Amino acid sequence: MIALGALCACLWMALLTYDPADPGWTHTSNVQQVQNAAGRAGAWFADVLFMVLGYFAYLFPLLLAIKTWQVFRARHQPWTWNGWLFSWRLIGLVFLVLSGSALAYIHFQFANNLPASAGGALGESLGQLAESALNVQGSTLLLLAFFLFGLTVFTDLSWFKVMDLTGKITLDLVELIQSFFERWWAARNERKQVVAQLRHADEVVNDVAGSLSDRRERARVKERLLEREESLNKHMSERDKRPAPVIAPAAPPKPVEQSKRVLKEKQANLFVDPLIEGSLPPLSLLDVAEKQQKQYSPESLEAMSRLLEIKLKEFGVEVIVESVHPGPVITRFEIQPAAGVKVSRISNLAKDLARSLAVISVRVVEVIPGKTTVGIEIPNEDRQIVRFSEVLSSAPYDDAKSPVTIALGHDIGGKPVIADLAKMPHLLVAGTTGSGKSVGVNAMILSILFKSTPDDARLIMIDPKMLELSIYEGIPHLLCPVVTDMKEAANALRWSVAEMERRYKLMAAMGVRNLAGFNRKVKEAEEAGTPLTDPLYRRESMEDEAPLLKKLPTIVVIVDEFADMMMIVGKKVEELIARIAQKARAAGIHLILATQRPSVDVITGLIKANIPTRMAFQVSSKIDSRTILDQGGAEQLLGHGDMLYLPPGTGLPIRVHGAFVSDEEVHRVVEAWKARGAPDYIEDILAGVEESGSGFDGGSGEGGSGEGSEEDPLYDEAVRFVTESRRASISAVQRKLKIGYNRAARMIEAMEMAGVVTSMNTNGSRDVLAPPPLRD
């Protein structure tokens, strides 16, 4: 057996490493280094086999391997010599070699790297003889029969055993596939039954809880109505000197429910308030939230945890899922990586995880405050809609005292997220088309409308698209009509800067530090009967009396698409926004800037430095996410209100599922406020009247008063140069006339006012309108 095995291996080496350049039986060669692995003898022997048998020479090592296996199987039997059996095997070998080489010659093409044809010299002679006698088809049939006969005799092959083994393998494979599908189908049916039972149980629990909550809510509302009717009857009886009608008192609450009754009364009061001028609209104007859908069962969450561990292990990251936090839109899996695993490896696998888990996107939360785990946020299959009424009817919104409290939505755990615009103090919102940005802005506006009256908060709305904010036209909170012209928008921002300066002067004269202190001091003076007068009022005559100071409302400037405003008006808007963002917090003026193009030419470094609070809806790329949030993550959001909220003073964003506000709800709230009062517009906002101290007064600059205008002695020469060269450039005029930059700039502005050149384009250039001067 060892000898046969060694001979088989040596023959394989000789044939597989055959090189026609080596010396052989059919040719000579003077090469010093033989390429054949079996040396010169192997090269000579391979050349002989290929010349005689062609490709069929590879059969010899295969037959030797079969004989080696047969000897190994019969190693325990006594070895006996049988001449007849040896002759019979030799006859089979002769038939196998002759027929095989002839078949190789007939059916295979000539080989260039062999010394003879594909069947060798033996196969060529036998193949030609068979083709001339029986043609190709007949010779193939006869030679194939001889080949199978020789194979059967030489290897002692039983074709019945071959067929039996083939059938057994086929049946075993079919049975394995069938059992696999039966187990999968049974598991699938069992999972369906479990899901159906859990769904039925959840529906029963929700129905019972809903009926109980509805019953309690109706009882609370009825109790509140009875109390309000009783107080109204008492008031009417005292006024008309008539006895009040007897009203059955409401049943006293149970001691255990006494703590819950206060909150329920507040919420019931919001729903049943009548239409009174100055009152807040009821929450019944909003759509009622749908019944909450079923959450994931513990078994399904456990299965998803194991699946996440398996998928991460496939990418070479060993993790353990420590906790799962299911929410209305996404489910957060908190994983503990193995020792030495960097968070960046997991972050780089976000797209691969989304693909392997067959979900839209996967977001990796690298740092969770107070924990050593990493968060993996995976979208739910059934996404729940967060209704705006759910957030407004929550206790955090009801307990908030700020008039500019805004309701954002729910966090990943389904808890309401409430923010105070006065503490931000400005907000920058970005998101691509269809990400829910406009709906989020509407939710912020409605939050203010449900929280404050026009005496508490006033709004300036700038809407370049003329569609989103125009529906709020006519509500009493507006300081001016909704601005759609961008030149008027610049005037509105100038007025805001002037109002900011005026309020600062008032607060400085009153000795207070912010708007809340100013309003508190005015209110205390009114309650004491000594109202305060305006210390900044300038009397024109002795009879004039300074007006009394009144409560100053908080002003919120809302710009729906400030990229379009910056494109039309230019860099003036950036300076105005920066001035308001730097100083207007104590004056009670706040900005909400929204854009769908978060690029660096829109959200400039000056704006980002002064507005630390950001809100990013879904964006198209990681670059846009870094522009708005200074970090990635917004490109992996799900859209439709899914946002990342970056509070002030922190670098870790909070994922919030924005509340949905329909157009019908907005119209209902707007009509309710229109019925409660008419707007009191300030005409100076859009007229562009600049107040002193606003920073936009036309002061004198370099060169004295009037220098740089048409009275400048070099003005005519500058006009001649501009019209001849057709270049309205400040630097060109400066170099030509050898004057200062400010003087040249005032000359160009004077030419613009005279109609010689156009105003500055978006790229900073100007066109020359006047024709060139006539030549003498």
Side-chain angles (χ1 to χ4, degrees):
M1 185 191 69
I2 294 174
L4 287 175
L7 182 61
C8 175
C10 184
L11 192 57
W12 270 118
M13 288 193 301
L15 294 176
L16 293 176
T17 60
Y18 171 76
D19 190 357
D22 291 338
W25 186 73
T26 60
H27 60 279
T28 60
S29 177
N30 295 325
V31 296
Q32 298 296 328
Q33 182 67 29
V34 178
Q35 301 297 325
N36 199 292
R40 292 182 178 272
W44 190 88
F45 195 75
D47 186 67
V48 171
L49 286 178
F50 281 130
M51 189 273 296
V52 176
L53 300 177
Y55 283 127
F56 208 74
Y58 289 107
L59 182 66
F60 277 92
L62 182 61
L63 295 177
L64 284 174
I66 294 175
K67 279 301 177 184
T68 304
W69 172 250
Q70 289 178 351
V71 171
F72 175 74
R73 290 185 61 186
R75 65 187 183 278
H76 298 297
Q77 298 177 5
W79 184 79
T80 55
W81 170 257
N82 190 339
W84 182 87
L85 185 61
F86 177 79
S87 303
W88 182 244
R89 296 279 187 266
L90 187 60
I91 291 172
L93 178 61
V94 170
F95 274 92
L96 185 65
V97 172
L98 293 179
S99 59
S101 58
L103 286 172
Y105 167 78
I106 294 174
H107 292 285
F108 294 98
Q109 297 179 355
F110 185 82
N112 295 326
N113 59 339
L114 298 182
S117 63
L122 182 61
E124 184 176 358
S125 58
L126 291 177
Q128 290 177 356
L129 179 63
E131 282 184 348
S132 62
L134 301 173
N135 211 335
V136 176
Q137 291 81 6
S139 58
T140 300
L141 181 61
L142 181 63
L143 291 173
L144 189 60
F146 286 157
F147 180 83
L148 295 177
F149 170 77
L151 180 64
T152 305
V153 171
F154 178 75
T155 61
D156 195 20
L157 180 66
S158 172
W159 291 103
F160 290 104
K161 288 184 178 180
V162 171
M163 289 186 290
D164 189 22
L165 181 63
T166 305
K168 182 179 182 302
I169 293 174
T170 305
L171 291 176
D172 290 344
L173 185 62
V174 171
E175 184 179 357
L176 179 64
I177 296 174
Q178 185 178 1
S179 63
F180 171 78
F181 275 100
E182 286 176 355
R183 289 196 302 269
W184 174 79
W185 188 259
R188 183 174 179 270
N189 292 334
E190 183 179 359
R191 188 165 55 252
K192 279 187 174 182
Q193 292 177 1
V194 171
V195 169
Q197 292 174 0
L198 290 175
R199 183 181 298 143
H200 179 68
D202 287 343
E203 289 177 356
V204 171
V205 171
N206 290 335
D207 290 339
V208 173
S211 62
L212 289 175
S213 61
D214 291 342
R215 235 178 291 162
R216 292 174 180 173
E217 190 64 27
R218 286 196 297 269
R220 295 285 179 262
V221 172
K222 185 176 180 181
E223 182 183 22
R224 185 62 180 171
L225 285 172
L226 290 175
E227 291 178 0
R228 291 178 63 85
E229 187 175 356
E230 183 180 3
S231 61
L232 184 62
N233 288 334
K234 288 182 179 179
H235 176 71
M236 295 294 293
S237 63
E238 291 175 0
R239 191 186 65 175
D240 297 337
K241 305 298 182 182
R242 292 196 303 266
V246 178
I247 304 295
K254 296 181 181 179
V256 242
E257 298 180 352
Q258 186 68 32
S259 58
K260 299 181 181 179
R261 185 172 178 270
V262 178
L263 178 60
K264 291 294 184 180
E265 283 184 352
K266 289 182 180 179
Q267 296 179 357
N269 187 24
L270 290 174
F271 280 95
V272 299
D273 271 344
L275 178 59
I276 302 174
E277 185 174 355
S279 64
L280 299 176
L283 291 182
S284 58
L285 296 174
L286 302 176
D287 294 338
V288 182
E290 294 90 352
K291 185 182 298 184
Q292 293 290 334
Q293 301 177 4
K294 76 173 188 66
Q295 302 293 334
Y296 286 104
S297 62
E299 292 80 8
S300 61
L301 291 177
E302 180 69 19
M304 291 176 65
S305 303
R306 300 289 81 77
L307 178 62
L308 181 61
E309 291 178 356
I310 292 172
K311 294 299 180 182
L312 284 172
K313 190 174 182 180
E314 290 177 358
F315 294 111
V317 180
E318 294 281 348
V319 299
I320 297 175
V321 178
E322 288 195 349
S323 61
V324 184
H325 303 278
V329 177
I330 65 167
T331 300
R332 173 183 283 183
F333 295 84
E334 294 186 1
I335 62 175
Q336 184 68 51
V341 176
K342 293 184 178 180
V343 183
S344 58
R345 288 186 59 189
I346 304 177
S347 300
N348 295 332
L349 293 174
K351 293 184 179 179
D352 296 322
L353 277 178
R355 175 189 54 80
S356 59
L357 295 174
V359 295
I360 299 175
S361 65
V362 171
R363 178 173 174 262
V364 179
V365 184
E366 297 181 351
V367 178
I368 300 177
K371 297 182 179 179
T372 61
T373 55
V374 179
I376 305 291
E377 296 178 350
I378 301 177
N380 297 339
E381 294 182 2
D382 299 324
R383 178 174 180 173
Q384 300 177 9
I385 298 179
V386 180
R387 287 288 178 181
F388 190 54
S389 57
E390 292 182 71
V391 188
L392 291 194
S393 58
S394 63
Y397 179 82
D398 190 64
D399 295 338
K401 303 301 181 183
S402 175
V404 285
T405 301
I406 56 177
L408 301 180
H410 285 174
D411 60 5
I412 61 173
K415 298 180 181 179
V417 178
I418 309 298
D420 186 5
L421 187 60
K423 294 181 180 179
M424 290 184 182
H426 312 288
L427 179 60
L428 191 59
V429 184
T432 186
T433 304
S435 61
K437 173 177 59 65
S438 298
V439 176
V441 173
N442 284 332
M444 298 176 199
I445 296 174
L446 291 189
S447 302
I448 298 174
L449 296 183
F450 274 106
K451 196 68 176 178
S452 57
T453 61
D455 296 334
D456 299 324
R458 302 296 293 272
L459 306 176
I460 296 178
M461 297 186 181
I462 301 174
D463 184 15
K465 294 189 290 188
M466 296 181 288
L467 294 174
E468 300 294 340
L469 302 180
S470 299
I471 56 178
Y472 296 99
E473 190 72 63
I475 62 175
H477 292 76
L478 292 179
L479 281 172
C480 64
V482 178
V483 182
T484 55
D485 187 358
M486 291 304 99
K487 293 183 178 179
E488 293 181 350
N491 293 335
L493 291 177
R494 289 190 181 94
W495 181 90
S496 301
V497 173
E499 176 66 15
M500 174 187 70
E501 298 289 347
R502 187 184 74 87
R503 291 189 175 192
Y504 268 112
K505 291 178 181 179
L506 272 177
M507 289 186 291
M510 297 292 294
V512 294
R513 299 185 59 184
N514 51 34
L515 185 67
F518 176 84
N519 289 333
R520 183 168 56 250
K521 199 165 186 178
V522 171
K523 183 179 179 181
E524 291 175 354
E526 289 178 352
E527 292 176 352
T530 56
L532 302 176
T533 57
D534 190 356
L536 305 180
Y537 180 73
R538 297 178 181 177
R539 299 181 181 179
E540 297 180 357
S541 62
M542 296 300 296
E543 289 80 13
D544 291 345
E545 294 183 0
L548 299 178
L549 288 179
K550 296 182 179 179
K551 177 183 177 182
L552 292 178
T554 302
I555 298 176
V556 182
V557 182
I558 303 168
V559 186
D560 184 58
E561 183 56 69
F562 76 99
D564 187 64
M565 182 173 64
M566 291 187 66
M567 185 181 298
I568 295 175
V569 183
K571 289 295 183 180
K572 298 178 183 178
V573 172
E574 182 182 3
E575 298 174 2
L576 295 171
I577 291 174
R579 289 204 64 192
I580 296 174
Q582 287 171 353
K583 297 175 58 178
R585 175 178 183 175
I589 301 177
H590 308 285
L591 289 172
I592 297 179
L593 304 178
T595 180
Q596 63 182 5
R597 196 183 67 181
S599 56
V600 292
D601 58 337
V602 176
I603 305 177
T604 61
L606 186 62
I607 294 177
K608 289 176 63 177
N610 292 289
I611 304 180
T613 308
R614 321 278 173 75
M615 186 180 295
F617 291 83
Q618 185 186 34
V619 294
S620 57
S621 66
K622 195 171 186 178
I623 298 175
D624 294 342
S625 177
R626 287 177 177 172
T627 303
I628 180 66
L629 291 177
D630 295 328
Q631 57 187 296
E635 76 279 1
Q636 298 169 346
L637 297 177
L638 306 177
H640 302 287
D642 195 15
M643 72 176 86
L644 288 177
Y645 168 58
L646 187 64
T650 178
L652 300 176
I654 301 172
R655 189 164 188 176
V656 180
H657 310 305
F660 175 72
V661 181
S662 63
D663 293 340
E664 291 76 13
E665 292 177 287
V666 176
H667 284 292
R668 289 196 291 265
V669 176
V670 168
E671 293 300 325
W673 270 116
K674 286 181 180 179
R676 281 168 167 76
D680 184 14
Y681 293 147
I682 300 176
E683 297 180 357
D684 293 342
I685 295 179
L686 302 183
V689 177
E690 297 171 356
E691 300 186 12
S692 61
S694 64
F696 293 91
D697 299 339
S700 61
E702 177 190 344
S705 176
E707 186 175 355
S709 62
E710 297 185 10
E711 288 79 11
D712 194 299
L714 297 178
Y715 178 75
D716 294 336
E717 188 176 349
V719 172
R720 185 178 185 86
F721 169 72
V722 169
T723 54
E724 284 181 351
S725 63
R726 315 303 294 175
R727 293 175 57 200
S729 172
I730 298 175
S731 58
V733 174
Q734 179 185 1
R735 290 193 301 268
K736 177 66 177 176
L737 302 182
K738 298 180 181 179
I739 59 176
Y741 181 85
N742 294 336
R743 188 175 179 185
R746 284 192 290 271
M747 287 183 180
I748 294 294
E749 291 176 357
M751 293 180 199
E752 179 184 345
M753 296 178 62
V756 178
V757 297
T758 62
S759 59
M760 187 178 297
N761 299 326
T762 55
N763 58 359
S765 62
R766 300 175 186 266
D767 298 328
V768 181
L769 300 177
L774 299 176
R775 299 287 183 180
D776 295 336

